[in-house]
Each structure stands twice: as C-alpha cells, then as structure tokens.
Amino acid sequence: SLSSVQAPASVVARFEPVVTHHAGTTVPASGTGGAASASFTGGGAACGFDLSSTAFAGAGAAPPPGKMLPQGMFGFRLIGCDVGSTVTMSVVWPQPIAEYGKYGLAAVGDTTDTWFTPPGLGIAGNTATFTITDGGVGDSDAAGGVIADPTGPLAPALPVPTLGEWGLLLMAALMGALGLRRLRRTQTA
C-alpha cells in the first residue's frame, strides 16, 4: 500500500493487454478437431477474455434431445466488462453450421440450465454471431462485470438404424435357411 509511505519507494506497474480474440482447436465427439477462433466487440475498454477459463472443448453438457454437438463447444469467460454491458460474440468453426445453441439459464430467474438459442443469433457458413449481456439471459456468471457462456453448433443426431418386426422375421428366416443348408451339407458329406 502506498498510503503511508515513510521512505523512498519504487513502484512497478505492469499493464496486460486486453484480449478480445481467442484461437484454438475444436474437440469434437469423434474425429479430428480443427482450427477455430472467437472474438467479440463491446463490453467496455477493459473487457477481455480470461484465458484461463476460455477454450474450445468437448461437449460439457448433454445436447438437447435429437441433437448432437459435432464440433464440440466453446466456453468463455470475459472479465473487466462494464456492469450490465452487452457484447457481440463471433465464433468461427472449422465446419459449416446450421443450428447453434447456448447452454445455461434461458431466462432471468431460471434455476435450471437448458439449451436455447442465444439472443441475436446470426449464422453465416461456419460463423455464429450472437449477443450476451452481463447479468442477462445466457450469462452463466452471477458476478457483475463478468460474462461466462458455453455455446456450440448443433446438428440433428444421426438415427440409429433398426429393423422393424418384419425385418426381424425376415432376418430370422434367412438365418434359419442358411443353418438348414449348412446342416444338409454336413449330412451329405
């Protein structure tokens, strides 16, 4: 503290740049990840990514029913933002996207995290752009001046092919016929 200095003292100040761009590699559920990046505007002059809590990661939450997270998720934390400010986030994924979701509290006053469409969502090719307000819908952090948010591209889950009743009956009949054929061969040999 410099409030009661009684002798000569030196002070060293270290200023760290505000980081408004983050690059990384996606973590899809299967396959190889690709290069991705995120940047934002707004939030005030000191608003920047907390790099220790910002990353492209695997699905941290189960996707909504009938959906999957083919490119993983992007979780970020902004610090030093003006209280109540709004940022516009832009996330560039390695593959094109058709749907985009946010996991968290869908409305102020909610107590259970769910998937929902982020406010102001725009999708162009492989880029999702959306807005998020400190303390507003989608901000997963209760502290003023801090914005936290996990998001990710969604896609329809691939259906698991199944055989209906008739397909199972046909399969059983074919297996039985092959078994009889083999039995007859071994009896005549």
Side-chain angles (χ1 to χ4, degrees):
S1 168
L2 293 176
S3 61
S4 61
V5 176
Q6 302 294 319
S10 64
V11 175
V12 176
R14 191 175 97 204
F15 297 95
E16 304 231 356
V18 174
V19 179
T20 60
H21 180 83
H22 177 78
T25 302
T26 59
V27 183
S30 63
T32 305
S37 64
S39 59
F40 72 92
T41 58
C47 188
F49 282 113
D50 174 356
L51 296 179
S52 68
S53 298
T54 298
F56 289 92
K67 303 289 182 184
M68 63 180 184
L69 291 155
Q71 299 184 66
M73 294 180 75
F74 175 60
F76 66 89
R77 185 170 187 254
L78 303 178
I79 55 175
C81 304
D82 293 344
V83 174
S85 63
T86 299
V87 298
T88 300
M89 183 67 62
S90 180
V91 186
V92 180
W93 296 87
Q95 303 296 319
I97 55 177
E99 292 181 66
Y100 203 79
K102 153 73 180 106
Y103 185 73
L105 302 176
V108 175
D110 280 359
T111 57
T112 304
D113 290 339
T114 60
W115 282 95
F116 62 95
T117 301
L121 177 64
I123 296 174
N126 63 336
T127 303
T129 304
F130 56 94
T131 59
I132 186 165
T133 300
D134 177 40
V137 171
D139 182 6
S140 296
D141 185 279
V146 176
I147 301 173
D149 190 41
T151 67
L154 298 167
L158 301 175
V160 177
T162 60
L163 293 175
E165 254 179 68
W166 288 105
L168 289 173
L169 286 172
L170 179 59
M171 180 78 79
L174 285 172
M175 296 297 287
L178 288 172
L180 283 174
R181 184 175 176 194
R182 185 172 181 171
L183 181 62
R184 285 185 186 154
R185 262 195 211 157
T186 57
Q187 287 177 347
T188 57

